[in-house]
Amino acid sequence: MNDTFDLIVIGAGPGGYHAAIRAAQLGLKTACIEKRMDGKNNAVLGGTCLNVGCIPSKALLDTSHHYVHTQHELAAHGIQVSNVALDVAAMMQRKMSIVEKLTQGISGLFKANGVENLAGHGKYLGNKKVEWTPANGEGAKILTAEHIIIAGGSEPVQISVAPLNNETIVDSTGALAFAAVPKRLGVIGAGVIGLELGSVWSRLGAQTTILEAQDVFLPLTDETISREALRTFKKQGLDIIFGARVTGCETAQQQVMVRYEKNGEAQTLTVDKLIVAVGRRPATQTLLAPGSGVNLDERGFIHVDAQCKTSNPNVYAIGDIVRGPMLAHKAMEEGVMVAELIAGHKKTTMNYEVIPAVVYTHPEVAWVGMSEQEAKARGENYKVGSFSFAANGRAMAAQENMGTVKIIAHQETDRILGVHIFGPQASEIIMQAVIALEFGASVEDLQLIIFAHPGLSEVLHEAALAVDNKAIHMAPRKRK
Ligand code: FAD
Ligand code: NAD
């Protein structure tokens, strides 16, 4: 193997593999180093997202949806089923086979594009040099490249009051691989992971309690939307305790007693499994040699500018290891942007203001742009309009008529500032809002577009009409 490249990418998660493939498409001689391994010392590509994040969690979410639907919702359609039973091993096997297909697909794409796939550990030494320690036990090699992209991703934050034992106290990776449905499940953190995995196991039958340190729920989501989501999740059986400060855990006889304080009073919660989901941190520990010339910021992320350039002119960093939301699609777009910059394209920056966020519960929460509380805090002169899925024919036909679309727009220019949704297929509907925001659309633009009937997206249309108090399927607000 030649040891000189145009580009070496460290990490083959969504950020790294997008960068490597795009760079190879553009004619750069590219290698990608990945340390996640299968049993035969082959690199397993796709990072957190494909292996222990986005994809396996959605595979389980879908199973949990079918389970609840079959047990409780088919009867209303006149479909009688009995003896519904869950085979957890089969559910996990399905999840694994989806993950394997996708990760092997990335290996195939690397081969097809001529990306050199290097299994092992990568470390940036500085001076255009990368140390690669192969997975097969051979000694470390020094590789050289004109450009380096660091895409090492993130890892779960651990807290000393709930130390992981990978049996009863686990992180998100452990929670994607339980061998049976826990009877009682505890989760620390009501963020995205806590809600997604908490609701998966809750829907499969676990009595689930989430302990959240803060008093606010989904703080980046519009308050109208997060309030409705919270009400629904509680009705579905998720017990979320806010203002809970965990002080310690005791493990005995396959159960965990969690000690926490609420309003100054000591409380306990006893569960069979405890998931710690209190955030993720950048995985920079073994990536950079002293003197690499790559600086970290005050929170431990690799410091980059708007084009993902680090303090070392030949080195870029992308994805979870740098500032911004820890989202796969954000990492992917940064990867493509940087590969194109390195290849000499003129694309300048990404639009960080228009990145969709989705919480994959059922129904889903999704948003892009400003919430009403953010518009208020920024001093914007704004107007809002909301419409409920309860008045939408398609949602009713599907028995999914729960939730709301809310639009926040500028009072004078009519420009859409944000769209926040709780409801069926919110993750798909939000993309219409993303396109509208990217194109600088006004509320009037959305009002004038013809939406297919019957469709869930009509709720977005009616919310746009509601901004000007002219929604058809809703009583008008009192005019001043
Ligand atoms: P990663 O995916 O973490 O990849 C980094 C890669 O670098 C890893 O494969 C790692 O092994 C490798 N690496 C690190 N250091 C080295 C080294 N020194 N040498 C060689 N290789 C190295 N995001 C969404 O947008 N949608 C979702 O639905 C979603 N669901 C999630 C569910 C869960 C349970 C979790 C945990 C995360 C989820 N995320 C989701 C977040 C998403 O997974 C991350 O934002 C995304 O994976 C970040 O991509 P990345 O390329 O920056 O890093
Ligand atoms: P998060 O930041 O979304 O939520 C963590 C929650 O834990 C917060 O509400 C926080 O207040 C709470 N918390 C922190 N310390 C606590 C403590 N000691 N006791 C009780 N509560 C505490 O983090 P996460 O849920 O771990 O997710 C990590 C990242 O993964 C997120 O940034 C997210 O972007 C990404 N992710 C995205 C998706 C998605 O896009 N659908 C899904 C899963 C994960």
Side-chain angles (χ1 to χ4, degrees), residues 53-54 57-58 154 159 161 188-196 211-214 216 218-219 244-246 276-280 320 325-329 357-360:
C54 328
S57 60
K58 271 77 226 178
S154 63
I159 47 175
V161 287
I188 305 182
V192 197
I193 293 180
L195 288 173
E196 290 189 0
L211 301 174
E212 166 58 50
Q214 312 239 35
V216 283
L218 292 178
R245 196 173 72 82
V246 176
V276 181
V278 293
R280 294 179 64 84
D320 281 8
M326 287 182 160
L327 295 172
H329 40 287
V358 179
V359 186
Y360 293 86

Side-chain angles (χ1 to χ4, degrees), residues 59-76:
L60 299 189
L61 187 75
D62 246 60
T63 302
S64 75
H65 175 57
H66 288 306
Y67 188 57
V68 169
H69 190 60
T70 310
Q71 275 187 318
H72 304 297
E73 292 160 11
L74 287 181

Side-chain angles (χ1 to χ4, degrees), residues 300-358:
F301 291 87
I302 293 180
H303 180 72
V304 289
D305 68 9
Q307 293 182 317
C308 293
K309 288 179 184 143
T310 70
S311 45
N312 180 324
N314 302 90
V315 183
Y316 294 79
I318 57 173
D320 281 8
I321 208 159
V322 303
R323 83 290 173 259
M326 287 182 160
L327 295 172
H329 40 287
K330 176 260 193 187
M332 294 170 179
E333 288 308 315
E334 286 181 335
V336 170
M337 170 178 74
V338 168
E340 293 185 351
L341 280 170
I342 291 171
H345 287 205
K346 291 285 172 275
K347 186 174 176 185
T348 49
T349 52
M350 281 177 27
N351 185 358
Y352 284 93
E353 298 286 312
V354 184
I355 298 178
V358 179

Side-chain angles (χ1 to χ4, degrees), residues 101-124:
K101 258 186 220 139
L102 286 170
T103 55
Q104 284 165 10
I106 308 294
S107 302
L109 287 172
F110 270 17
K111 209 175 265 171
N113 283 284
V115 175
E116 189 88 46
N117 181 354
L118 304 178
H121 185 273
K123 180 189 253 183
Y124 182 60

Side-chain angles (χ1 to χ4, degrees), residues 1 3 8 33 118 128-130 132 141-145:
M1 189 197 80
D3 58 8
I8 296 175
I33 306 177
L118 304 178
K128 304 184 182 179
K129 298 212 176 319
V130 173
W132 169 46
K141 296 180 171 41
I142 305 299
L143 312 176
T144 310

